[in-house]
Every structure is written in structure tokens, then in C-alpha cells.
Amino acid sequence: MEIKIQLTNASICERLPAPTSGVGAGAWVDFRGVVRGEENGAVIAALEYEAYSPMAEMEMRRIIAELAGDHHCLFVRVIHRVGIVPVGEAAICVGVAARHRAEAFALLAGFMNRLKQDVPIWKRRALTATELTELKTK
Amino acid sequence: MEIKIQLTNASICERLPAPTSGVGAGAWVDFRGVVRGEENGAVIAALEYEAYSPMAEMEMRRIIAELAGDHHCLFVRVIHRVGIVPVGEAAICVGVAARHRAEAFALLAGFMNRLKQDVPIWKRRALTATELTELKTK
Amino acid sequence: MRVLFFAHLKDITGCAEMNLPGGDLDADGLWQKLIEAHPGMEQVRASVRLAKNSEYVGRDACFTDVDEVALIPPVSGG
Amino acid sequence: MRVLFFAHLKDITGCAEMNLPGGDLDADGLWQKLIEAHPGMEQVRASVRLAKNSEYVGRDACFTDVDEVALIPPVSGG
């Protein structure tokens, strides 16, 4: 299984490469977790994410390897954004390819659950539209 | 909830539109079911799909509406290809957007299970490389 | 009534559809006529579901001259 | 040893990291020193996990001068 993990400050709208023949993958799943316009009931314009990068990457890799023991997949790619992520943009993209869909769905769902328990990444704070504008004009 | 269903003879590599802000969707999932290079143990070059189109579209819409009762989603799009689908190309693309990932995962998994039980679409036959070439040169 | 055949049912009947003339039929009556026309249909009867005007119907369904009836063998989409 | 603080722990300590001089420590000893330096840490102790050199460790962990220790408050990625 191929695992690619990346933390980045840049926009992560791109998705998994188009399926290529020959890899034996019958199921490709892409998940994007997008920042929503409200956080705890308040209207927001962005979230700021913080990561303990080396540990976050190791932990994601460890979780995926562990889950792959039960749900064999061919390819897993995770990109998590850090820093300011405006509403409507993806904070995380996960792409999974497997022979059959059941493995891909199970690995993806399991990974997202474990991510939210164990991977040292935090929503540091929510920014209002004014705060976001101020940051951009600095 | 917005539901878009399409059966098409054309390639369906395209995926869900990029997330736009304001729709309230926090989770976007794209699934592609890709034709694998073997069917029942034999090496193949393509599958031919056949559909009872009006019923297939109605049935997909009905299944999604039913599943959405338990798993509220904001947007569901299904494109199923019919006719010859070469190995490595997608036979089906399903895109689901929801407020949170749990609903999107549940609707997607439930839809794929029901599709394979109830939607009148068939793998009509598997084509070898020779058969596929012959078809193309006709 | 118009009767549609899909997938391998077309190999059995040799056609994609047929017209069944004569009045109303229940499901058993429909199968009887189909098997008369295409004896090979008998062996697939247990695995085939019936649809009327693009919706699955049960054993108690009735079919009239204006209905479009479809014979749905086990599906395999996706 | 180098000790790293993340998320709201930085608000409590006023810094992203500190150096804890002096020899080996077990988890309890580490917490004692941290609370001495930053009394506000006491209230978050129950919810914070410890990591040593980028891996979670349990209550029985030991830390030496060369270790990088991270205090991991409840995470919220994704």
C-alpha cells in the first residue's frame, strides 16, 4: 500500500489523480472536509488550524497502516491544511483507492474517526470576516 | 436536498464541482467505481453496461430520497455510464455533500448497496482486448 | 401490453421486447403467456422481478394493455 | 528537555515551548515541574496527553534531557 501524507499552508482544492488502469483499484473515494460558515453557533469567516507537524504526520501514517490491516487498500493520500482556512475551503482531503468499495469506505471512515481523536492538529481559533480582512491586509 | 441523476454513454472522469461557500456543507464525498482488469478471474479490457434507463433513474432517485430520511444530505449527484466502459474508467460516480461526514458516508454506502440490489442496470458482458479493438475499428 | 427484456433475458427470448395482445393479466397469467412464447423463460422465473411502468410490482400486480411491463433479472450496476 | 505546548496551552503558558533543565523525569515529576512553572497547567492536566519524540506515551513514561516532550490537549483536526 502506498501512503502519502502532507501538511500544507496552501489551498488543497486538488483531488486524487484520475484513475489509471492496471492498479487493480475498483473503488476510489475522495473526502473533503470543508470549513463551514458557523462554529459553535457563531458566524465565522475562517478557522485557524495548528499542527504538531512531525507527530501529526507520523500518527496519520500509523493509523492508516493499522486500519489497513483490517481494510486492505491500495493507496491512501491525506492532505491537511494548517494556518488560516477560509469558509468554503477544504481543511482536509483524503483519497483512498481499494479493490472494492467496502474496504475504501471502512478505511476512510475509520481514519476520520481516529484523526479526530489522536492526530495532533487543532482548530486554534475562529476568525470573523473583519479579523480575516485585517489579516489579509497586513 | 438537490438530487441529480444521469445515465450517459460518455466518459465520466469529471467529479463534483469544487466546494462553494455558503451551502453549509462540511463534508464532500466523491466515489468512483472503476472497471477492473479482471472479471470472474478472467483478464478483460472492458465491460458493457445496459440500463433500463427511465426506471433506473427513478429508482436511484427513490433510493436516495428514502436514505435521506435517515441521513440528511444537501446534495447528491449520480452519474452512471452505460455502453462500453474500458478498464480503468469509471462506470459510476457518486458525489454527496452534507453538513457532517457521518451523513454523507452513510448515504453513500447505503446508496451503493441498494444500487446493486435494485437499480435496473446490468453488466451485460465482458470484452477482451481483441473484442474491444474490433468494436473500435468498426 | 409492451413487455421489455433486459440483459441475458434477451439471449433467451432473442428480442428486447414483445407485444402481448389480449386484455388484462395478473402476474401468473403474464408468466404463463411469456413461457408459452419463450419456454426458456421458465428457468429464470424465480430470479426475475416484474416492473410496471418503471416501478417494481409484487405478485398481486395486474397488467393492462397500456402498461409497459419490464422483466428485471438480478441487477449488477456500479 | 524541550517541552512543547500547543493550542490553548500556549495561552496558559504564554509560550510555545520551554526548556526544563535537570535530569530524568517520570510523568508525575514532569507535571510537577510544569505546574510549578505555569500554575494554570494544573486545571488542564486531566485532559492533556503526553508525547515523547512524536509518540504518545503512558503514565509510566520516563523523559530524559534529550527528549522532545509535547503536551497534547484534545485534538480537533479535520
Side-chain angles (χ1 to χ4, degrees):
Chain A
M1 184 178 56
E2 189 183 343
I3 303 177
K4 287 188 185 175
I5 308 282
Q6 199 187 339
L7 294 175
T8 176
N9 271 292
S11 181
I12 50 172
C13 282
E14 59 152 336
R15 278 164 283 171
L16 266 184
T20 52
S21 55
V23 293
W28 293 70
V29 195
D30 284 279
F31 170 75
R32 277 170 289 156
V34 172
V35 175
R36 298 174 60 221
E38 57 161 39
E39 180 82 357
N40 301 323
V43 174
I44 66 164
L47 285 175
E48 183 177 6
Y49 285 84
E50 176 186 337
Y52 177 23
S53 298
M55 179 168 170
E57 292 186 20
M58 276 178 59
E59 195 66 16
M60 286 195 265
R61 199 171 282 276
R62 210 180 55 71
I63 289 167
I64 291 165
E66 197 184 310
L67 289 168
D70 288 326
H71 315 291
H72 184 65
C73 289
L74 300 165
F75 177 71
V76 182
R77 190 181 70 170
V78 181
I79 310 183
H80 201 300
R81 193 160 163 192
V82 291
I84 307 286
V85 185
V87 164
E89 295 190 17
I92 186 169
C93 282
V94 185
V96 180
R99 259 178 240 289
H100 304 288
R101 73 185 188 287
E103 290 98 343
F105 289 171
L107 190 136
L108 173 59
F111 175 75
M112 289 305 300
N113 289 342
R114 294 286 303 275
L115 173 88
K116 284 166 183 288
Q117 286 163 16
D118 292 333
V119 177
I121 299 177
W122 298 269
K123 292 184 178 73
R124 180 72 170 105
R125 59 174 179 146
L127 286 83
T128 63
T130 314
E131 288 166 332
L132 185 60
T133 310
E134 274 170 17
L135 257 183
K136 281 180 176 166
T137 52
K138 256 181 203 167
Chain B
M1 186 178 55
E2 189 183 342
I3 303 177
K4 287 188 183 175
I5 308 281
Q6 198 187 339
L7 294 175
T8 175
N9 271 292
S11 181
I12 49 171
C13 282
E14 58 152 336
R15 279 163 283 171
L16 265 185
T20 52
S21 55
V23 293
W28 293 69
V29 194
D30 285 279
F31 170 75
R32 277 171 289 156
V34 172
V35 175
R36 298 175 59 222
E38 58 161 39
E39 180 82 358
N40 301 324
V43 174
I44 67 163
L47 285 174
E48 183 176 5
Y49 284 86
E50 175 185 338
Y52 178 22
S53 297
M55 181 170 169
E57 292 187 20
M58 275 179 59
E59 195 65 17
M60 287 195 265
R61 200 171 282 276
R62 210 180 54 70
I63 289 168
I64 291 165
E66 197 183 311
L67 289 168
D70 288 326
H71 315 291
H72 183 65
C73 289
L74 300 165
F75 178 71
V76 182
R77 191 181 70 170
V78 182
I79 311 183
H80 201 300
R81 193 160 162 191
V82 291
I84 307 286
V85 186
V87 164
E89 294 190 18
I92 186 169
C93 283
V94 185
V96 181
R99 260 178 239 288
H100 304 288
R101 74 185 189 286
E103 290 99 342
F105 289 170
L107 190 138
L108 173 59
F111 175 76
M112 289 304 300
N113 289 342
R114 294 287 304 275
L115 173 89
K116 284 166 183 287
Q117 287 164 15
D118 293 331
V119 177
I121 300 177
W122 298 269
K123 291 183 178 74
R124 181 72 170 104
R125 59 173 178 145
L127 286 84
T128 63
T130 314
E131 288 167 332
L132 184 61
T133 310
E134 275 171 15
L135 257 184
K136 281 178 178 167
T137 53
K138 256 182 206 166
Chain C
M1 69 193 66
R2 202 173 156 220
V3 182
L4 310 180
F5 304 108
F6 292 98
H8 65 281
L9 303 186
K10 289 193 284 200
D11 299 332
I12 294 172
T13 63
C15 60
E17 61 175 277
M18 69 182 287
N19 192 49
L20 269 190
D24 299 359
L25 287 172
D26 61 10
D28 280 339
L30 176 76
W31 273 108
Q32 215 161 9
K33 292 225 172 192
L34 287 169
I35 292 165
E36 272 167 31
H38 305 289
M41 291 298 284
E42 175 122 48
Q43 71 194 60
V44 298
R45 179 171 176 177
S47 67
V48 166
R49 287 195 276 177
L50 298 177
K52 181 169 87 171
N53 304 323
S54 295
E55 278 190 58
Y56 285 114
V57 290
R59 290 169 156 271
D60 55 347
C62 282
F63 305 93
T64 71
D65 264 352
V66 295
D67 287 328
E68 179 178 280
V69 183
L71 277 76
I72 314 281
V75 304
S76 53
Chain D
M1 67 194 67
R2 203 172 154 222
V3 182
L4 309 180
F5 304 108
F6 292 98
H8 65 281
L9 303 187
K10 289 194 283 201
D11 300 331
I12 294 172
T13 63
C15 61
E17 61 176 277
M18 69 182 288
N19 193 50
L20 268 189
D24 300 0
L25 287 172
D26 62 9
D28 279 338
L30 176 76
W31 273 108
Q32 215 162 8
K33 292 225 175 194
L34 286 170
I35 292 166
E36 272 167 32
H38 305 289
M41 292 299 284
E42 175 122 46
Q43 72 195 60
V44 296
R45 181 172 174 175
S47 66
V48 167
R49 286 195 279 177
L50 297 177
K52 182 170 87 173
N53 304 322
S54 294
E55 278 190 58
Y56 286 113
V57 289
R59 292 172 154 268
D60 56 348
C62 282
F63 305 93
T64 70
D65 265 352
V66 295
D67 287 330
E68 179 178 280
V69 183
L71 277 77
I72 314 281
V75 304
S76 53

